[in-house]
Amino acid sequence: MKLKSVTESFAQVIHGLKVGHLTDRVIQRSKRMILDTLGVGFLGTSTEVFHKASEYSKIYNSNTYSTVWGRPELRLPPTYAAFVNGVAIHSMDFDDTWHPATHPSGAVLPVLMALSEALPPSPKFSGLDLLLAFNVGIEVQGRLMNFSKEANNIPKRFHPPSVVGTLGSAAAASKILGLSMTKCQEALAVAVSHAGAPMANAATQTKPLHVGNAARHGMEAAFLAMLGLQGNKQVLDMQAGFGAFYANYSPKVLPNLNSYTWLLDQQDVAFKRFPAHLATHWVADAAASVRKRLVTDGVLLPIDRIERIVLRIPDVQYVNRPFPDSEHEARHSFQYVACAMLLDGNITVPSFHTCQINRPQMRELLSKVETEHPQDNLPNFNTLYCEISVTLKDGITFTECCDTFYGHWRKPLSQKDLLEKFRANASKTLSCDTVERLIEMVETLEDLEDCSLLTALLKGHSPLDMVSESAQHLTVPA
């Protein structure tokens, strides 16, 4: 069948990809993404923005409910469970990052978990079904970003998860709901009209809503398409359609299913070691190298001996914050992350607490920081670097450079360190036994016959508790 449009080719891929298309590498990489996303989601339930989003969502009622992760007492309609869980995932900017630049998992996984819980118990939704729908949602995001050179760089206008994440969510929901090719096409059209959030709200409590809204709006788009709502059938082909979000938009028909290759097979994601904007991770590793030269017998030299600190970084305005006043601003500050690493030798979740941001030593060190933007240091997660120079009052200068931080796709986190991150994040909410069961279940996800066992663990219950629970269910197409 010859496809008439780019939009139609996306619908064919969403509808037509099967479990057999998944490769071993895609399965392994996506299982790491799922585990990491669950972990940062559990951690995010402790944040103020999660609390506000969940309190707001309680006003919505439905005969069908899904779980808010780690909160068995809080059950919401599936769209709002996906919203709240999406907010939790991005609440600390601790979720995975891809290239071209976006946070791919946070808009997709909450949708699939909410729907897998709300769908009828027969037929069962398996681990392979989850992996397929998850990867369809990731793939759609990657393909859309590859249509524009602008998308390669750190964003200036729109926050990418609010744009491509919304369509990835719609694609994943369409896959799990079993929508026809025509309705997959309509879901994408509806999702485009839900997409977009400006970068002006970066480093505020509103930014995590971008991921939550992408999850919710994509699911809503699939539901509306399922009910017969129609949109422009060439929405991905047009400059006035999806092209409105990206300059130099040049869409192409997707490969044929018989020879389809996944973008995740070619391009892995980055996993963060601490909760802050990805670009700050280059700064942290460079600062850690300099700090080693400023320490004698385990003691950092007095900061009053430091004359100035120069950061040579790409020109990314929303991550250039000399004196952050909040945790969200600190997570988006080259300067703060550099100083935190120099002072403490490590960056963790508590590093962004208000008491750490406002301590006198931090404010003094921040006042010594200058920034430079070398012309060859472009705002691109695949090519950027950070060079840091610390000059002492006696004139001695120490300089270190980082071009690939640990956790970047060129230097990926080991499985041991990824599991350590998950345990640290999830154990704030779940029992140690449940944490270990989740790890085991996700690591063997392709063998899981019934995802209700996974959603039971997300509540904080054991799988046996799930068997006795009654649930209302959605009606889906045959």
Side-chain angles (χ1 to χ4, degrees):
M1 178 179 68
K2 186 174 181 179
L3 299 173
K4 298 178 181 178
S5 72
V6 172
T7 313
E8 191 177 358
S9 77
F10 270 77
Q12 183 187 59
V13 162
I14 294 167
H15 177 72
L17 282 172
K18 307 296 183 186
V19 164
H21 287 98
L22 293 170
T23 66
D24 289 342
R25 177 183 284 178
V26 165
I27 288 174
Q28 294 306 315
R29 286 180 171 177
S30 55
K31 286 193 299 184
R32 282 164 58 88
M33 294 164 72
I34 289 169
L35 189 69
D36 186 68
T37 303
L38 291 174
V40 298
F42 285 122
L43 180 66
T45 62
S46 65
T47 61
E48 185 178 356
V49 62
F50 167 83
H51 175 72
K52 291 176 178 178
S54 59
E55 285 299 305
Y56 155 73
S57 298
K58 288 178 183 177
I59 68 176
Y60 295 96
N61 293 308
S62 170
N63 291 328
T64 304
Y65 292 94
S66 298
T67 297
V68 176
W69 301 348
R71 300 296 177 97
E73 78 287 353
L74 181 56
R75 293 173 63 77
L76 297 171
T79 49
Y80 283 90
F83 167 69
V84 169
N85 289 327
V87 169
I89 289 166
H90 197 56
S91 61
M92 292 187 181
D93 216 319
F94 210 179
D95 42 333
D96 56 19
T97 305
W98 210 13
H99 176 75
T102 194
H103 303 286
S105 300
V108 173
L109 188 60
V111 171
L112 299 176
M113 292 294 90
L115 286 176
S116 68
E117 185 176 4
L119 288 172
S122 180
K124 292 178 179 178
F125 182 63
S126 72
L128 278 172
D129 293 329
L130 171 60
L131 285 164
L132 177 61
F134 178 81
N135 278 289
V136 165
I138 302 301
E139 180 74 5
V140 164
Q141 296 177 68
R143 291 289 177 180
L144 289 170
M145 288 187 296
N146 275 292
F147 292 159
S148 168
K149 292 181 180 179
E150 179 188 358
N152 284 323
N153 294 331
I154 298 173
K156 293 182 178 179
R157 299 186 299 126
F158 294 100
H159 191 208
S162 73
V163 181
V164 295
T166 305
L167 277 80
S169 165
S174 297
K175 189 65 177 176
I176 192 175
L177 291 169
L179 299 194
S180 67
M181 181 173 159
T182 299
K183 291 192 183 298
C184 289
Q185 194 169 350
E186 302 294 3
L188 293 173
V190 177
V192 170
S193 283
H194 277 311
M199 288 306 303
N201 274 322
T204 73
Q205 286 188 336
T206 297
K207 185 173 178 245
L209 302 186
H210 298 174
V211 173
N213 280 330
R216 173 169 69 95
H217 289 152
M219 190 191 298
E220 288 175 346
F223 284 159
L224 290 167
M226 189 167 66
L227 293 170
L229 191 73
Q230 297 180 350
N232 191 309
K233 290 179 173 53
Q234 294 190 336
V235 72
L236 302 185
D237 298 72
M238 303 168 60
Q239 292 296 328
F242 190 80
F245 295 110
Y246 289 105
N248 309 117
Y249 182 66
S250 181
K252 297 177 178 61
V253 171
L254 297 187
N256 188 282
L257 289 172
N258 294 330
S259 56
Y260 200 86
T261 57
W262 301 88
L263 291 181
L264 189 60
D265 233 334
Q266 307 160 35
Q267 173 67 62
D268 202 358
V269 299
F271 295 109
K272 298 178 179 180
R273 304 194 320 276
F274 58 86
H277 189 276
L278 192 74
T280 67
H281 288 243
W282 279 268
V283 173
D285 277 18
S289 296
V290 168
R291 189 181 192 275
K292 292 177 183 177
R293 303 170 67 180
L294 301 176
V295 171
T296 303
D297 295 329
V299 178
L300 181 69
L301 59 74
I303 61 175
D304 59 9
R305 289 184 55 192
I306 296 176
E307 179 70 24
R308 70 178 179 275
I309 301 167
V310 179
L311 303 180
R312 298 178 185 92
I313 50 178
D315 186 8
V316 183
Q317 289 302 309
Y318 75 97
V319 197
N320 186 352
R321 298 177 186 274
F323 294 97
D325 291 323
S326 70
E327 62 166 300
H328 296 282
E329 289 188 0
R331 298 183 201 283
H332 293 75
S333 170
F334 287 121
Q335 295 90 332
Y336 180 81
V337 168
C339 291
M341 182 60 81
L342 288 173
L343 281 174
D344 305 324
N346 195 16
I347 300 178
T348 62
V349 171
S351 299
F352 299 93
H353 292 174
T354 303
C355 60
Q356 295 295 309
I357 297 169
N358 293 328
R359 53 185 161 153
Q361 306 99 307
M362 174 60 72
R363 307 314 277 191
E364 180 183 352
L365 204 57
L366 284 168
S367 69
K368 301 173 186 285
V369 179
E370 305 168 12
T371 59
E372 297 176 359
H373 307 300
Q375 289 187 350
D376 68 338
N377 199 354
L378 301 177
N380 182 306
F381 289 143
N382 213 30
T383 62
L384 75 83
Y385 63 89
C386 170
E387 186 175 273
I388 178 171
S389 294
V390 176
T391 300
L392 306 184
K393 289 186 176 178
D394 61 10
I396 298 175
T397 298
F398 301 100
T399 299
E400 295 286 349
C401 183
C402 174
D403 61 9
T404 305
F405 67 88
Y406 179 49
H408 190 272
W409 42 83
R410 288 194 298 269
K411 192 185 290 186
L413 280 187
S414 67
Q415 188 66 8
K416 177 183 175 182
D417 287 342
L418 190 75
L419 293 178
E420 184 178 331
K421 176 185 174 182
F422 176 78
R423 288 187 177 103
N425 289 339
S427 63
K428 299 287 192 297
T429 303
L430 305 177
S431 69
C432 291
D433 178 65
T434 302
V435 169
E436 295 306 316
R437 289 185 182 205
L438 266 174
I439 289 173
E440 181 181 358
M441 195 168 291
V442 174
E443 286 189 328
T444 57
L445 194 55
E446 64 269 43
D447 300 323
L448 183 65
E449 295 183 359
D450 186 357
C451 276
S452 66
L453 300 176
L454 177 59
T455 56
L457 288 179
L458 299 185
K459 299 176 187 179
H461 291 172
S462 71
L464 290 177
D465 295 331
M466 185 62 177
V467 176
S468 62
E469 290 191 2
S470 60
Q472 299 292 325
H473 299 293
L474 289 171
T475 301
V476 296

